[in-house]
Amino acid sequence: MYEELAVTASENERDALAEFFSEEGPLDCAQLFRQTIGEANYREFLLRQFDSGRHQFVQVTPSHQALVALRLQRLFTTNYDELIEAAYQKAGERLRVSASEAQFTAHRRTVDAHLVKLHGSIDQPDTIVLTRSDYARIRLERRAMLDHLRSELADAAFLFVGFSLSDPNFNTIHDDLRVVYGMNMPASYTVQGRRNTVKERYLRSLDVNTVWLNGWNELPDFLTRINVHSEAG
C-alpha cells in the first residue's frame, strides 16, 4: 500500500507516509490508503491483490485438498480468496459459503459443509473487511456471524491453520471467553510452519497449544494424519 501511495506523493509527503506506515497499525494504514486513492481504485486494488483468477500461479494446493478430506461441518476463515471453495468444487463436495450476514442467516442450518468468511470474499468486494472502519462496521452488521464464532469457540475444539491469532475482533471474542470459562474452555491448537519458542510461550499464555511443522510443505501430511476419515487417521 505504501508503495502505491508513494509513487504519486511529493517528496515531503513521502517522508510523512513512511513515518505513518512505520508507526501505525495495519488497519489504520488500510484506512488511509482507501481514503487517499478513492473507492474505484481501492476496489481494483483488492481484485488485483486477492482475486486468484488473475494469478495463474495461485492454485488449489494439497493442503486445501487435505482440508476438504477432513469433512468438517463448520469452517471459519478471514481470507478473502476462493481457494477453499475451489478445492471443494474440485473434489465434487457441496459447500455453503457465507460472506455476509444475510448469507449466514440463509445457510446457518444447512447440513452441508459451511464456510463462514468473517472478513468477506473477493467475489463480493463490498463484503471485504480491511480498514479500521470496516472492523467497526462488522461488529454490528455481522453480529450473528461473530456470535456463532463465539458459541463455537465456547463449545468445540478449534484447529487454527495459517491464522496468526492477531485479528482484533477475533481476539476480543477469544479473550472474553478465556476470562469467563478459564480452564473449562475447549482445547484449541494452532499449526505453525517454523518453531519459535518465544511465540510458543506467548500462545501458551492465550491457552492455545502449538503444533510445530518443519515447514508448510508438511501440512498436507499432518492434516491427513489427524483425519479420522482416512486410513492414516
Side-chain angles (χ1 to χ4, degrees):
M1 292 182 184
Y2 166 76
E3 289 78 9
E4 295 208 14
L5 293 183
V7 169
T8 57
S10 65
E11 184 174 349
N12 289 338
E13 190 173 67
R14 278 199 295 272
D15 293 339
L17 281 172
E19 182 178 352
F20 186 91
F21 272 76
S22 66
E23 294 181 352
E24 305 300 333
L27 276 63
D28 300 295
C29 293
Q31 182 84 18
L32 175 67
F33 178 76
R34 182 174 187 171
Q35 187 274 336
T36 302
I37 67 172
E39 288 301 311
N41 290 329
Y42 178 70
R43 185 185 182 97
E44 174 57 28
F45 168 81
L46 293 175
L47 292 170
R48 191 166 65 248
Q49 294 294 320
F50 303 111
D51 184 359
S52 57
R54 297 191 178 196
H55 306 283
Q56 293 184 354
F57 61 88
V58 180
Q59 301 289 336
V60 170
T61 68
S63 295
H64 290 101
Q65 295 170 331
L67 180 66
V68 175
L70 289 174
R71 302 181 190 173
L72 300 172
Q73 282 296 108
R74 297 291 180 270
L75 303 91
F76 296 89
T77 185
T78 55
N79 289 351
Y80 313 125
D81 64 64
E82 298 179 274
L83 291 175
I84 294 177
E85 295 95 309
Y88 271 82
Q89 183 177 28
K90 184 176 182 180
E93 299 288 344
R94 291 176 60 86
L95 177 70
R96 299 294 184 183
V97 181
S98 296
S100 68
E101 189 87 334
Q103 292 169 349
F104 175 76
T105 300
H107 298 152
R108 183 166 188 170
R109 301 191 185 283
T110 181
V111 296
D112 299 324
H114 187 187
L115 174 64
V116 182
K117 305 187 79 167
L118 296 167
H119 287 180
S121 184
I122 194 58
D123 66 321
Q124 305 168 61
D126 291 340
T127 66
I128 295 294
V129 175
L130 186 58
T131 69
R132 178 169 295 278
S133 293
D134 292 334
Y135 271 81
R137 175 174 48 79
I138 70 162
R139 285 195 289 271
L140 296 175
E141 294 183 359
R142 298 183 190 170
R143 184 171 294 174
M145 296 169 74
L146 294 174
D147 284 348
H148 185 58
L149 173 62
R150 182 189 299 271
S151 175
E152 291 293 299
L153 281 168
D155 293 335
F158 263 64
L159 176 66
F160 303 107
V161 180
F163 182 56
S164 64
L165 283 89
S166 61
D167 178 72
N169 286 347
F170 170 84
N171 284 347
T172 297
I173 293 172
H174 190 250
D175 290 345
D176 287 350
L177 289 173
R178 288 194 302 115
V179 171
V180 172
Y181 291 99
M183 295 299 293
N184 293 319
M185 276 277 290
S188 60
Y189 304 83
T190 179
V191 180
Q192 300 290 318
R194 181 170 60 87
R195 182 170 291 276
N196 183 316
T197 55
V198 173
K199 188 169 186 178
E200 181 175 19
R201 190 161 65 245
Y202 165 71
L203 291 170
R204 191 183 306 124
S205 76
L206 303 179
D207 300 321
V208 176
N209 303 291
T210 309
V211 177
W212 297 105
L213 305 178
N214 295 315
W216 287 112
N217 60 316
E218 293 187 356
L219 180 59
D221 179 62
F222 169 76
L223 293 176
T224 300
R225 282 188 285 112
I226 67 171
N227 189 349
V228 298
H229 303 290
S230 73
E231 294 181 359

